[in-house]
Amino acid sequence: MTRHERRGAMRWLAVAAAVSSLGCAQATGGRVRLRDSAWTAPLDASRRANPLANQTAAVAGGRKRFLERCASCHGAEGRGTRNAPDLTEDGVQSQSDGALFWKI
């Protein structure tokens, strides 16, 4: 697995961990949410470590959870739709796991 693939897999894992904790799939009640490029997580949230970061076996479970709860808005590959942003963009990928967890 390349560095880029590992990084992408870890993002799936961070998303899945957050989704399983928060159940965001129904959070907006079907409404389209406006995108805010200045949306920033608090510093303490951004510094939060991913407790599953070193568990490579969790990646498959994270992908399964993403497909169940997030893909309907973000697309099966996370590339976004009119209802949700592209999770593969550099602006998302460059964020810490803690920031992504807070946002989800």
Side-chain angles (χ1 to χ4, degrees):
M1 184 179 283
T2 69
R3 181 175 175 245
H4 179 72
E5 290 170 331
R6 280 192 307 273
R7 187 174 177 192
M10 293 313 294
R11 292 295 175 214
W12 282 111
L13 186 57
V15 168
V19 168
S20 65
S21 296
L22 302 175
C24 76
Q26 304 301 321
T28 61
R31 296 185 311 272
V32 175
R33 201 174 138 137
L34 297 177
R35 296 176 185 149
D36 181 359
S37 62
W39 188 28
T40 305
L43 190 56
D44 62 326
S46 292
R47 291 181 176 163
R48 185 174 180 183
N50 179 350
L52 304 175
N54 296 318
Q55 298 181 19
T56 56
V59 173
R63 177 143 176 87
K64 179 181 176 185
R65 181 71 63 169
F66 178 87
L67 291 171
E68 291 171 352
R69 299 194 179 189
C70 306
S72 61
C73 291
H74 290 282
E77 296 303 318
R79 298 209 180 268
T81 66
R82 71 174 185 86
N83 294 325
D86 182 345
L87 301 177
T88 67
E89 290 180 345
D90 288 340
V92 175
Q93 293 294 311
S94 65
Q95 296 179 52
S96 70
D97 288 348
L100 293 172
F101 184 87
W102 180 83
K103 290 179 179 185
I104 293 168

